[in-house]
Amino acid sequence: MSLLFCRRARFITWESPGSEDSPLGSPLVVVNGNGSVNGPSVVDVGGQSPEARHLAPLTSPLLTDAGCIRNEDEEEARRKKFPTDKAYFIAKELLTTERTFLNDLQVITQSFQSVAGKEEGLPDSVRNLIASSYDPIHTFHQGFLKEVEQRLAQWEGRSNAHIKGDYQRIGDILLKNIQGLRQLTVHLQKHSECLVELERACRASRKVEAVCRDFEQQRVCYLPLNIFLLRPLHRLLHYKLILERLCKHYPPTHEDFRDSRAGLADISEMVLQLQGAMMKMENFQKLLELKKDLTGIENLAIPGREFIRLGCLSKLSGKGLQQRMFFLFSDSLVYTSRGMTPLNQFKVHGQMPLYGMTIRESEEEWGVPHSFTLFGQRQSLVVAASCASEMERWVEDIRMAIDLAEQSSSPTSDLLSTSPTDNKLLEDGGLEVESEDELCGSRSSLERQGHRGNTTVHVCWHRNTSVSMVDFSVAVENQLSGNLLRKFKNSNGWQKLWVVFTNFSLFFYKSHQDEYPLASLPLLGYSVTVPAESENIHKDYVFKLHFKSHVYYFRSESEYTFERWMEVIRSATCSASRPLLSSRKDY
């Protein structure tokens, strides 16, 4: 049985370098292409390097205390003008996330196709396949977004429409457009083929591979390119969740209930029809993404192999405990360390086939907290997790993978591109540099890599944590966009930002019309709570993000949006299992 079907169900800081509350070593992540707006490249996820401490990588007013501060009276008056019904805020979430989705579609239909059209090495068949599969979807969603915008304007009383009627509903528009989207299923079914064919083209031509790699360095491509290819399939899940919330909110007698229920039935059928292909493509995309982060490995994305978990464990050797990055697949466990390549890839040290492997907790045997021993057919490893919960996740996933490997009739494929002797030299040859500069990334290497240092693998390395394929699947569903007010620690003002939550990170824009984010905040390792009374945040709907000494306050516009931001952020932080806290502060 597929691991993806067996287990479908489970962030470093962003700081303004110009603000007073930017501490030394604040983990800044700048993602706008070469890493600069008015300064050079800096991507620092573990603490600032000596060179970076003297740089001003981002001096845009967006991220400084001086700009975009809203007048409090104006903000309160704006909030009181608009409707307060929960259905309105559900409809507004549809609007804000549809804007982000359309922008993501344009990465493929406009930005990438513009680049691909100039590349002679890309086969016409691939170019035409992408155009014919995504352009109709883009055109459709342009019309869908326009209808949603018009309805929200009418709902808020800002429209000059002459037609009178009750516009305080959204289910009718969703039903109409989901029925229209069903007519485009043939195009949605082609998106998996687009992902496969583009990968084939990259394998066949280094020139095409370089074009895709260079495109990923552009500011507009703020996520791995292949993620954008799967966005239309992911969006179906979002419509389903929005309609589920509407149907749960409405009483059966509400005039919008029938349309919402019919829309939910239609979108549920579409999701069921496409879900198998969607999950296979998510796994394939993840294998392709991991291949870029690894060196010394071959044949990673082969049929039948599934990604399960990646993250940090400490490996016990004659030198003591050494930090290693582990990758668990359905047939093998691979361990690596950070290399000194221009792209800061992880170099493979070894591979342990899962077939015949046993696992035993060994804290008492070795005197190392949270440790366990892996016994393979040819070698054994003693590893330690950072905490008890991390150890539990690893042990559970490894045991599950071993059981399924024992049941599988397919042989284990060798992932390594080097011989066992070479791997032994890699492990014991002392080739690693564990200095602070190496861990954080030197300025020169980061200028070459652009924002590739912001991948989940690098975040897990610096945060000493792990994520699973289940986490990635949950993250696909938990995406959110909208305006938030951000408070600087040493200021009374609140700064309005357009914020997109996706791929375990918050991405920050001046407005939804911006083509690319100016900064990001990966959330793995963070906690999300509400401020304590001692913090003197005398506002409603404020949530607090904190990791060690780094603290950020964000304010949403309603109880519904507050709870939604808390919900999606918890899905990407270490506090995901904690109960939801109170949404209001009464003073």
Side-chain angles (χ1 to χ4, degrees):
M1 183 183 295
S2 166
L3 292 172
L4 294 177
F5 285 95
C6 280
R7 300 219 37 222
R8 175 141 184 136
R10 249 187 267 322
F11 282 60
I12 311 193
T13 69
W14 162 67
E15 188 66 70
S16 165
S19 69
E20 296 177 359
D21 61 331
S22 178
L24 187 65
S26 169
L28 172 71
V29 180
V30 181
V31 298
N32 52 339
N34 65 358
S36 65
V37 173
N38 297 314
S41 167
V42 173
V43 181
D44 182 1
V45 292
Q48 291 177 321
S49 67
E51 292 169 300
R53 290 170 188 157
H54 303 292
L55 300 175
L58 192 59
T59 56
S60 164
L62 169 67
L63 302 180
T64 62
D65 199 4
C68 301
I69 304 300
R70 291 188 65 92
N71 179 281
E72 293 297 309
D73 293 335
E74 288 181 3
E75 184 63 29
E76 292 299 327
R78 187 197 66 82
R79 286 174 56 191
K80 291 176 180 178
K81 267 194 336 182
F82 291 153
T84 57
D85 179 31
K86 183 176 180 179
Y88 162 76
F89 291 108
I90 296 175
K92 192 168 183 180
E93 179 181 335
L94 172 65
L95 169 65
T96 57
T97 54
E98 190 71 13
R99 283 171 172 167
T100 295
F101 172 62
L102 196 62
N103 288 338
D104 286 351
L105 266 181
Q106 290 170 349
V107 174
I108 299 298
T109 60
Q110 296 179 9
S111 304
F112 181 69
Q113 287 192 47
S114 175
V115 171
K118 303 172 185 175
E119 175 49 54
E120 297 179 358
L122 186 65
D124 287 340
S125 58
V126 178
R127 188 183 294 110
N128 294 336
L129 176 64
I130 292 175
S132 63
S133 301
Y134 287 89
D135 288 355
I137 300 293
H138 179 243
T139 300
F140 171 83
H141 282 281
Q142 284 180 311
F144 186 11
L145 176 60
K146 186 175 181 180
E147 285 190 57
V148 175
E149 287 176 333
Q150 290 174 342
R151 175 59 57 85
L152 264 293
Q154 293 166 341
W155 201 330
E156 294 168 353
R158 294 183 289 113
S159 172
N160 293 322
H162 299 292
I163 302 175
K164 295 186 177 181
D166 185 1
Y167 296 112
Q168 295 187 356
R169 56 196 172 118
I170 196 67
D172 58 327
I173 289 180
L174 274 164
L175 174 60
K176 171 192 169 186
N177 282 278
I178 287 169
Q179 290 174 340
L181 196 56
R182 292 186 69 173
Q183 307 304 312
L184 300 175
T185 301
V186 63
H187 299 294
L188 293 170
Q189 291 171 331
K190 289 283 188 181
H191 291 179
S192 298
E193 184 181 347
C194 291
L195 181 61
V196 172
E197 291 303 318
L198 184 60
E199 170 61 15
R200 281 183 181 158
C202 289
R203 289 182 181 179
S205 169
R206 289 187 177 181
K207 192 173 182 181
V208 173
E209 183 182 23
V211 168
C212 293
R213 185 177 62 246
D214 291 345
F215 180 75
E216 284 194 319
Q217 304 305 317
Q218 292 190 17
R219 294 177 292 186
V220 71
C221 192
Y222 67 100
L223 298 171
L225 172 61
N226 288 336
I227 289 181
F228 292 105
L229 290 171
L230 298 180
R231 274 294 195 249
L233 294 175
H234 297 163
R235 188 59 176 155
L236 302 180
L237 298 173
H238 305 156
Y239 295 144
K240 182 173 181 286
L241 293 171
I242 285 172
L243 280 161
E244 285 175 347
R245 286 194 291 274
L246 277 175
C247 290
K248 185 177 179 180
H249 168 66
Y250 287 138
T253 55
H254 194 283
E255 63 178 347
D256 205 26
F257 179 76
R258 179 177 293 183
D259 286 340
S260 298
R261 186 172 58 179
L264 178 58
D266 283 350
I267 197 66
S268 297
E269 184 179 337
M270 287 186 68
V271 168
L272 186 62
Q273 180 183 356
L274 295 167
Q275 190 168 32
M278 190 188 311
M279 295 176 72
K280 289 179 181 178
M281 285 301 104
E282 283 177 23
N283 179 70
F284 182 57
Q285 184 274 326
K286 189 53 58 183
L287 293 175
L288 295 180
E289 185 179 335
L290 292 178
K291 188 176 72 170
K292 298 175 185 177
D293 283 313
L294 296 171
T295 181
I297 198 166
E298 289 183 344
N299 304 319
L300 185 59
I302 64 170
R305 175 173 292 136
E306 296 181 13
F307 162 70
I308 302 173
R309 178 173 292 277
L310 66 86
C312 281
L313 293 169
S314 295
K315 178 179 174 292
L316 184 63
S317 68
K319 300 177 182 179
L321 289 172
Q322 294 179 315
Q323 183 179 354
R324 295 288 180 263
M325 196 72 177
F326 281 73
F327 298 83
L328 177 62
F329 302 101
S330 55
D331 57 349
S332 61
L333 180 68
V334 174
Y335 53 100
T336 71
S337 71
R338 259 282 289 272
M340 290 296 289
T341 67
L343 298 180
N344 285 329
Q345 292 167 299
F346 289 81
K347 60 185 179 184
V348 175
H349 286 190
Q351 166 195 6
M352 294 185 69
L354 296 182
Y355 187 85
M357 180 187 288
T358 59
I359 182 171
R360 184 179 73 206
E361 297 183 17
S362 53
E363 183 171 327
E364 293 184 3
E365 180 181 355
W366 295 101
V368 178
H370 320 306
S371 63
F372 53 97
T373 304
L374 302 166
F375 298 94
Q377 294 179 330
R378 293 179 294 181
Q379 66 179 126
S380 63
L381 289 179
V382 180
V383 295
S386 59
C387 61
S389 59
E390 274 292 297
M391 174 182 167
E392 182 180 349
R393 294 182 188 110
W394 275 108
V395 171
E396 179 186 353
D397 280 353
I398 292 173
R399 282 179 173 158
M400 176 196 66
I402 290 172
D403 289 343
L404 290 170
E406 298 286 347
Q407 300 168 16
S408 175
S409 58
S410 59
T412 299
S413 173
D414 189 12
L415 292 112
L416 305 187
S417 59
T418 52
S419 68
T421 302
D422 292 332
N423 290 315
K424 181 67 176 174
L425 290 173
L426 279 172
E427 182 67 17
D428 298 332
L431 298 177
E432 299 168 53
V433 180
E434 298 289 354
S435 68
E436 181 70 12
D437 283 351
E438 194 278 331
L439 286 172
C440 300
S442 67
R443 176 185 171 190
S444 59
S445 67
L446 288 165
E447 284 174 343
R448 290 193 296 270
Q449 81 177 65
H451 53 266
R452 281 291 301 166
N454 194 22
T455 67
T456 305
V457 175
H458 287 86
V459 173
C460 286
W461 172 261
H462 289 290
R463 293 300 105 201
N464 196 19
T465 189
S466 69
V467 294
S468 69
M469 191 61 203
V470 174
D471 297 324
F472 283 107
S473 295
V474 171
V476 163
E477 298 181 2
N478 286 298
Q479 298 182 25
L480 196 59
S481 308
N483 287 311
L484 287 175
L485 298 177
R486 179 258 167 108
K487 183 185 184 301
F488 284 91
K489 191 184 303 182
N490 297 321
S491 168
N492 293 324
W494 291 82
Q495 182 182 38
K496 187 177 181 181
L497 302 170
W498 176 260
V499 183
V500 173
F501 172 78
T502 186
N503 208 40
F504 306 110
S505 298
L506 295 175
F507 294 89
F508 300 94
Y509 304 71
K510 287 183 179 180
S511 78
H512 70 85
Q513 296 173 319
D514 291 354
E515 292 184 357
Y516 54 85
L518 296 179
S520 73
L521 172 58
L523 295 183
L524 289 170
Y526 265 76
S527 294
V528 56
T529 61
V530 294
E533 289 191 21
S534 60
E535 294 173 87
N536 295 319
I537 307 294
H538 302 289
K539 296 294 179 182
D540 292 338
Y541 316 129
V542 175
F543 60 90
K544 170 186 173 183
L545 288 170
H546 50 105
F547 176 79
K548 296 184 177 179
S549 63
H550 306 296
V551 178
Y552 306 92
Y553 301 104
F554 292 96
R555 181 176 158 206
S556 51
E557 66 177 340
S558 69
E559 183 171 6
Y560 172 81
T561 53
F562 168 87
E563 290 175 348
R564 286 291 294 136
W565 280 106
M566 291 283 280
E567 179 183 355
V568 299
I569 289 173
R570 283 179 191 275
S571 72
T573 66
C574 61
S575 60
S577 62
R578 298 176 187 172
L580 191 65
L581 296 167
S582 170
S583 62
R584 287 185 64 91
K585 292 183 65 63
D586 296 317
Y587 292 92

